Amino acid sequence: MDEARLKRARRRSVAQTAGAIGVVLLLVGALMFVLTSRQESRALNSELGQVLVMAEDVDDPPPGQFLARQTSGADRVEVTSSASPELVRVLDGALRRGPGRFDTDAGDDRPVRVVVAHRPDGSRWAVAADLAPLRERQDQLGIALLVAELAGLAGALVAAALLARRAVAPLATALTLQRRFVADASHELRAPLTVLHTRAQVLARRARTQPAEQLSDQLDQLVADTRTLGEVVEDLLVSAAAEHQPPPDTVVDLVEVTHDVVASMSAYAREREIELRVEATGAALVRGARTALRRALTALVDNAIGHVAVGGHVTVTVQRRDARIAAEVTDDGVGLDLAEADRLFARFAHGTDGTGRRFGLGLALVQQVAQAHRGSLEVSGAPGRGATFTLLLPAY
């Protein structure tokens, strides 16, 4: 639905932009045509006026023009010998008019412009010019402007499409991020809320039969669960922001983060009767966002727990490898087929043999965090032999 609305908005934007540019081009073209035509018409009028002033007889007018003269007191009209009978008639009629100019037809759809002038000696002069060259130039100008406008309109459509795509792109990105965040939030919060609700139910039942002082540990666990839920929300915001901005350049001890993750996931592992252990000593310093790294390790541990049977083991190992820090999450569960490893990096994907409930965004989040921290995610394993996911980050 959102995609359809965005497409309609983009098409509407393209149509409106192209229409506006097309109207502007049409107005500019029409204005150029009118101004150019008027300028050529004025130039012809000026030329004809000069001919009437300079002419001494009707025998040698400029090409395409014809002269007529009627001296004072004479009835006979002299006309350029090459003039057609219809043009002679037009010029004879023009001499009977007062000074001025007009356009008329000299037969055979032959438009002419006639200018009439009276000289001080009482003679009357008229000159007729063939308008076909002027009309031809105007037609050529109109065609040229039309082609230019069509080309401009095509360019306007392309430009409008690019501008519309660029204008709508942030909205499309925002809608995509919104949908992704809602999906991430529902996926992330489902399991912590279930755990929190279950613990609250157990605590409520025990509160009816046990003294209050014996419930302090369970109340502390309930508070810890609510704190974990708040951290999940914070991690969601961090992971969403990590897609469009680099992580903060702070020094993070990956060993410390690993111990925090194992501590927070231990209750979940015990519930599934899975041994969760950590093998990490000293310090393993990297640069990046602590919350994002914690979320990535949590996703790896959760993925391992979800693919281990009752009585299985999950081990988290942090060690230095040359100039990188490696955080390995190894399990002895159902394993995986390396042929489907690429598919596992899709958002919310899980192995075909996994049975556990997921807390994290899946391996897609881990890969995203690794890339944001200039690191990588490696996977190894075989069906029935467990799997190992290794988060490699540049050492500080």
Side-chain angles (χ1 to χ4, degrees):
M1 181 65 70
D2 291 336
E3 288 78 3
R5 291 178 179 176
L6 287 175
K7 288 181 180 179
R8 287 197 298 269
R10 186 163 54 242
R11 293 194 192 101
R12 190 180 302 112
S13 177
V14 170
Q16 291 175 349
T17 304
I21 296 177
V23 170
V24 172
L25 290 175
L26 181 63
L27 293 176
V28 171
L31 182 61
M32 290 181 61
F33 181 81
V34 170
L35 292 178
T36 303
S37 298
R38 287 185 177 180
Q39 181 63 31
E40 289 190 349
S41 180
R42 292 193 188 99
L44 178 60
N45 293 335
S46 177
E47 180 182 353
L48 295 178
Q50 290 294 325
V51 169
L52 290 178
V53 172
M54 302 297 295
E56 296 180 355
D57 54 52
V58 299
D59 296 331
D60 191 22
Q65 298 180 10
F66 305 90
L67 285 168
R69 178 180 64 176
Q70 184 179 23
T71 58
S72 177
D75 294 332
R76 180 173 174 272
V77 176
E78 301 176 59
V79 181
T80 303
S81 60
S82 59
S84 65
E86 185 64 25
L87 189 56
V88 171
R89 182 189 63 78
V90 169
L91 289 172
D92 183 72
L95 290 176
R96 304 180 189 280
R97 296 187 176 192
R101 67 173 180 272
F102 60 92
D103 293 345
T104 187
D105 187 78
D108 298 329
D109 294 328
R110 185 182 181 186
V112 294
R113 175 164 297 178
V114 181
V115 178
V116 180
H118 293 175
R119 290 186 177 180
D121 61 3
S123 61
R124 298 181 178 183
W125 289 77
V127 60
D130 189 357
L131 289 179
L134 177 62
R135 300 288 172 82
E136 183 178 356
R137 289 195 301 271
Q138 290 176 342
D139 292 341
Q140 292 175 348
L141 176 62
I143 293 174
L145 290 175
L146 179 61
V147 171
E149 288 183 6
L150 291 176
L153 184 59
L157 285 172
V158 174
L162 294 176
L163 290 174
R165 181 175 300 178
R166 181 174 298 180
V168 175
L171 180 59
T173 301
L175 290 175
T176 300
L177 288 177
Q178 182 186 40
R179 289 195 299 269
R180 180 175 297 180
F181 184 81
V182 171
D184 290 354
S186 59
H187 185 83
E188 285 273 349
L189 298 177
R190 185 185 300 117
L193 286 173
T194 300
V195 173
L196 187 62
H197 180 69
T198 301
R199 192 183 299 278
Q201 285 182 323
V202 172
L203 187 60
R205 287 196 299 267
R206 291 180 178 178
R208 299 188 185 100
T209 59
Q210 296 180 7
E213 59 272 10
Q214 295 182 8
L215 301 177
S216 59
D217 291 341
Q218 298 176 28
L219 287 171
D220 291 340
Q221 291 177 347
L222 186 62
V223 172
D225 287 340
T226 59
R227 182 168 56 250
T228 300
L229 188 61
E231 292 174 352
V232 168
V233 175
E234 181 181 356
D235 291 347
L236 272 170
L237 297 174
V238 171
S239 63
E243 295 188 14
H244 299 280
Q245 62 185 24
D249 190 19
T250 57
V251 178
V252 180
D253 186 356
L254 205 58
V255 171
E256 182 181 336
V257 173
T258 301
H259 282 290
D260 291 343
V261 170
V262 172
S264 65
M265 297 291 289
S266 58
Y268 176 59
R270 285 195 302 270
E271 179 186 348
R272 295 182 54 79
E273 299 182 19
I274 294 171
E275 181 183 355
L276 176 60
R277 57 196 176 196
V278 59
E279 295 179 0
T281 58
L285 303 181
V286 297
R287 284 188 175 275
R290 179 186 179 88
T291 52
L293 293 173
R294 186 179 188 277
R295 190 71 245 149
L297 288 174
T298 300
L300 289 178
V301 173
D302 173 63
N303 178 74
I305 294 175
H307 290 83
V308 174
V310 173
H313 304 82
V314 175
T315 303
V316 185
T317 305
V318 180
Q319 58 185 348
R320 188 183 184 96
R321 292 184 183 177
D322 297 328
R324 294 189 294 179
I325 301 297
E328 293 182 351
V329 179
T330 305
D331 65 74
D332 54 4
V334 296
L336 58 85
D337 185 357
L338 292 180
E340 69 171 10
D342 291 340
R343 186 185 64 80
L344 295 179
F345 292 114
R347 299 178 73 83
F348 304 124
H350 52 76
T352 54
D353 296 325
T355 57
R357 179 182 291 275
R358 297 294 184 267
F359 281 86
L361 295 173
L363 300 179
L365 170 65
V366 185
Q367 188 177 53
Q368 173 189 319
V369 172
Q371 293 173 350
H373 288 75
R374 302 186 303 279
S376 61
L377 177 63
E378 296 180 353
V379 56
S380 61
R385 299 182 180 179
T388 298
F389 291 88
T390 305
L391 177 63
L392 292 169
L393 301 173
Y396 171 66

